[in-house]
Amino acid sequence: FFFIYAVTTAVAAPSTSHYTVGVPVTENQYTMLEKPIVIDGRGHLYGRLASVVAKELLSGQKIIVVRCDEICISGSLVRNRVKYAQFRKKRMNTNPSRGPFHFKAPAKMFWRTVRGMVNQKTARGQAALGRLSTFEGTPHPYDKMKRQVVPAALKVLRLKPTRKFTVLGELADSVGWKHKDLVGRLEEKRKVKAAAFYERKKARTVLRAKATQQADLSAVAPVLAAAGY
C-alpha cells in the first residue's frame, strides 16, 4: 500500500487513515475507505501521482485531486510541448471527430492519464474512475477541507534538484488552455482568505491554552481521577 500524508506547516505527519506495513490491523485502525481523500497536486510528479491514485481508486477509495495545474512533469517545457504535439497527431484518419480526444485542461489531462491505468473498459475500472474527481485550483468546498500529499510522488523527493521540470498549467497554457489567468486570480483570493483564517485559528488556540491554564478544576478533580483522567 502507498501512504498519503497530511499537509502541515513543518514536517508532513502520517495520516491516521492509513495503516503501516507490518503492524496488525485492528477494527479501529482500518478507517481508510470511510471518507474521500483530498490530494493537493502541487509539487507532485505527474506519472507517479497518477499511479498511486489509480491504485487507491481500484481498492475502493474516493479521491479528489485539486490544483492539477501545479502538478510537475520531468523534462523541459520545450521537450514536453514536442511530446504533446506528437500525441495530438494520433487521431482517426477518416473522421477525427470520433477520437481519440486530446484534452487541454490540466485536470482533464490528469484524469485521462489515470483512466489509462485503471483498465476503464471493465466494470471495475469504470467504477474506479467514477470515484475520481480532478480540479484546477482549489474550488469550494475543498478549500476548507484537509488536503494530503503523497511522499512517493513529491518532486523534491524524487527528482534531482538539477533536473528540469515543467508545470502542467504552463504546458496546458502553451497548447491552448484559456483559463490559466482566471485560476490564478481565484487562487490569490483563496490564499488571502486562508491566511486570515489561519491567523484567527492561532488566536483561538492561544485563548484556549490560557483558559485551560486558568481553569479551576479542584471541584471535579477527584471525579476525573476516579474515571482515569
Side-chain angles (χ1 to χ4, degrees):
F1 283 87
F2 296 94
F3 300 95
I4 299 176
Y5 284 61
V7 178
T8 63
T9 54
V11 180
S15 170
T16 56
S17 62
H18 291 260
Y19 60 86
T20 306
V21 175
V23 178
V25 179
T26 64
E27 186 177 352
N28 292 332
Q29 287 176 326
Y30 194 74
T31 57
M32 178 178 172
L33 305 177
E34 287 186 357
K35 60 181 180 180
I37 291 177
V38 182
I39 296 178
D40 187 353
R42 179 178 180 271
H44 288 77
L45 288 175
Y46 188 84
R48 289 178 180 268
L49 179 61
S51 62
V52 173
V53 168
K55 264 293 192 188
E56 294 292 328
L57 292 172
L58 288 169
S59 69
Q61 179 67 55
K62 292 182 180 179
I63 293 182
I64 298 101
V65 184
V66 298
R67 291 213 280 187
C68 289
D69 51 302
E70 297 191 41
I71 293 175
C72 300
I73 308 175
S74 59
S76 66
L77 178 60
V78 173
R79 174 184 172 84
N80 283 295
R81 285 191 65 182
V82 171
K83 291 174 68 175
Y84 191 81
Q86 293 172 344
F87 170 63
R88 288 190 67 182
K89 288 182 180 179
K90 293 177 172 61
R91 61 176 194 169
M92 185 176 179
N93 194 25
T94 55
N95 189 357
S97 64
R98 293 186 177 179
F101 304 106
H102 311 94
F103 299 114
K104 297 177 181 178
K108 293 297 288 184
M109 287 181 181
F110 183 77
W111 177 88
R112 192 182 196 276
T113 301
V114 175
R115 186 186 69 178
M117 296 182 178
V118 298
N119 196 7
Q120 54 98 16
K121 292 187 178 181
T122 65
R124 179 174 180 242
Q126 281 291 323
L129 200 60
R131 290 188 282 268
L132 173 66
S133 299
T134 57
F135 299 95
E136 294 94 11
T138 311
H140 179 81
Y142 308 115
D143 56 340
K144 293 181 173 60
M145 295 174 65
K146 191 172 189 177
R147 296 179 289 281
Q148 319 281 332
V149 299
V150 182
L154 285 174
K155 179 182 73 69
V156 294
L157 299 179
R158 293 296 172 179
L159 197 65
K160 290 183 178 180
T162 57
R163 300 301 185 188
K164 294 181 180 180
F165 66 93
T166 303
V167 178
L168 187 58
E170 295 179 2
L171 174 64
D173 183 62
S174 68
V175 297
W177 183 49
K178 301 183 184 303
H179 304 293
K180 180 184 177 182
D181 294 338
L182 172 61
V183 172
R185 291 196 301 271
L186 293 175
E187 279 294 286
E188 288 299 323
K189 292 180 180 179
R190 180 190 66 80
K191 289 176 183 178
V192 170
K193 292 180 181 179
F197 168 79
Y198 184 61
E199 292 299 324
R200 292 196 301 270
K201 182 180 178 181
K202 287 197 297 185
R204 287 198 303 268
T205 303
V206 172
L207 291 175
R208 183 181 181 86
K210 188 180 297 183
T212 302
Q213 290 178 353
Q214 296 176 354
D216 184 12
L217 301 178
S218 58
V220 296
V223 179
L224 295 173
Y229 294 98

